[in-house]
Amino acid sequence: MTRDMNRHFGKVAVLLGGTSSEREVSLMSGNGVLAALLHHGVDAQAFDPAEKPLQALKDEGFDRVFIALHGPFGEDGTLQGALETLGIPYTGCGVMASAIGMDKWRSKLVWKAAGLPIPAFELLDDDSDFAAIERELGLPLFVKPACEGSSIGVTKVVEAGTLEAAYREARQYDRLVLAEKFIGGGEYTVSILNDKALPAIKIEPATEFYDYQAKYFRDDTVYRCPAGLSDAREAEMRRLAEQGFAVLGGQGWGRIDFLVDEAGEPYLLEINTSPGMTTHSLVPMAARVAGLSYEDLCVQVLDTAHVG
């Protein structure tokens, strides 16, 4: 197996760490992936772009890349463009899908144009009529930076008159900030592997919402997979996930997050084009229910590596 894996994949760089605010999570994801690939006999090595230039991938003879970077400069299309220029196959979405997917505002615009269901939202700036937006979207509502992941900079606004303060907080992370209507029937996610949806997961955070701590460090978040949906609703959510992934130009693997209203209707929330691969992560969880171990999942993702 070791010889076959090495011959098939060649020398593999697991890109981890990086310079974004999600560096800590990326290190956890990347080290998990690295161990899994080594377990299968893949000639894999850690590569931290914060410590050496990407040109070293070419100079050191790497044949393909497993991207375990999160956030800006990891999943926003810049890295993908550099790897395209170097001609090194990489996992995950290409330049366009990565760039659009990292931008919550523009991904919502594409989904809306395609007729897919999304929560009502407003783009905020310094001149916004914050009181009017509170009335229009209703309270509570969520404020979030458009181009950050892992719920960084996200605030749940529950009191009238506090939207502007939440905007100022999010503005520290990004120049684009969204206010989004609260939809309170539950949080779900659907993972994509080889462009096909895996079983849906229902997320029940012990915190007020599925924040950074709940995603990566708390042990009291409840994940239900199977998600407890009817067969028809599960099929609908998987179909929407595949459609939402495809319309943004997704490739290989990813994850679509959903909110569900009190009537059970799903709304696409955001796409993750470089999902976490930590012990708390959702793609490995769905893969296990589908009969795929963490180690085998990593190999299947690596097998999707592409240029262009």
Side-chain angles (χ1 to χ4, degrees):
M1 176 182 290
T2 299
R3 288 192 301 273
D4 289 343
M5 287 291 183
N6 285 340
R7 184 165 59 246
H8 182 61
F9 294 125
K11 185 178 178 181
V12 175
V14 178
L15 265 59
L16 78 179
T19 58
S20 83
S21 58
E22 298 180 69
R23 175 178 173 83
E24 182 180 11
V25 177
S26 174
L27 289 169
M28 292 190 293
S29 286
N31 282 314
V33 169
L34 179 61
L37 296 179
L38 292 173
H39 171 81
H40 269 303
V42 177
D43 180 13
Q45 298 178 26
F47 188 104
D48 188 342
E51 298 177 353
K52 58 171 73 174
L54 291 177
Q55 179 62 39
L57 290 168
K58 197 76 170 177
D59 296 341
E60 296 176 18
F62 285 100
D63 296 295
R64 67 176 61 196
V65 165
F66 192 119
I67 299 176
L69 294 168
H70 307 310
F73 311 111
E75 58 180 307
D76 62 354
T78 53
L79 170 67
Q80 289 75 12
L83 294 172
E84 292 278 346
T85 301
L86 292 172
I88 301 175
Y90 57 92
T91 58
C93 294
V95 176
M96 180 191 70
S98 297
I100 297 175
M102 190 68 198
D103 187 325
K104 297 178 181 67
W105 178 48
R106 289 177 172 85
S107 60
K108 288 176 187 298
L109 293 178
V110 174
W111 282 339
K112 184 177 181 179
L116 298 176
I118 60 170
F121 69 93
E122 291 287 342
L123 189 64
L124 304 178
D125 59 34
D126 289 345
D127 299 321
S128 292
D129 186 337
F130 296 102
I133 291 171
E134 286 179 353
R135 291 192 299 271
E136 178 186 347
L137 295 180
L139 295 176
L141 59 79
F142 281 98
V143 174
K144 56 185 68 173
C147 297
E148 282 286 347
S150 295
S151 298
I152 291 170
V154 176
T155 301
K156 185 177 182 181
V157 176
V158 296
E159 294 182 14
T162 60
L163 174 57
E164 183 172 1
Y167 161 71
R168 302 292 175 195
E169 169 67 20
R171 185 66 178 79
Q172 297 179 56
Y173 297 94
D174 193 2
R175 62 186 180 85
L176 290 178
V177 177
L178 296 173
E180 190 172 71
K181 181 180 178 63
F182 174 73
I183 295 177
E187 300 180 54
Y188 295 80
T189 194
V190 176
S191 302
I192 304 288
L193 180 61
N194 287 315
D195 305 326
K196 296 296 182 184
L198 295 176
I201 299 173
K202 184 177 184 182
I203 303 162
E204 297 177 357
T207 48
E208 190 163 14
F209 65 95
Y210 193 43
D211 61 10
Y212 184 84
Q213 289 296 319
K215 286 181 176 179
Y216 300 112
F217 299 106
R218 294 179 68 105
D219 291 321
D220 52 3
T221 304
V222 175
Y223 303 98
R224 302 193 186 279
C225 190
L229 299 165
S230 67
D231 290 346
R233 191 66 82 188
E234 170 92 15
E236 178 189 15
M237 198 174 284
R238 291 199 200 187
R239 177 186 62 78
L240 285 171
E242 291 176 2
Q243 191 175 355
F245 190 70
V247 79
L248 294 182
Q251 290 175 264
W253 77 308
R255 205 185 73 234
I256 304 285
D257 296 336
F258 288 86
L259 294 175
V260 170
D261 65 17
E262 287 77 2
E265 295 294 329
Y267 295 81
L268 284 80
L269 183 62
E270 59 189 68
I271 183 174
N272 191 319
T273 59
S274 183
M277 289 291 284
T278 73
T279 55
H280 285 64
S281 293
L282 299 166
V283 178
M285 197 178 304
R288 279 198 303 273
V289 173
L292 197 61
S293 70
Y294 181 94
E295 290 79 12
D296 290 343
L297 169 64
C298 291
V299 169
Q300 285 207 19
V301 171
L302 182 60
D303 201 36
T304 68
H306 61 90
V307 174

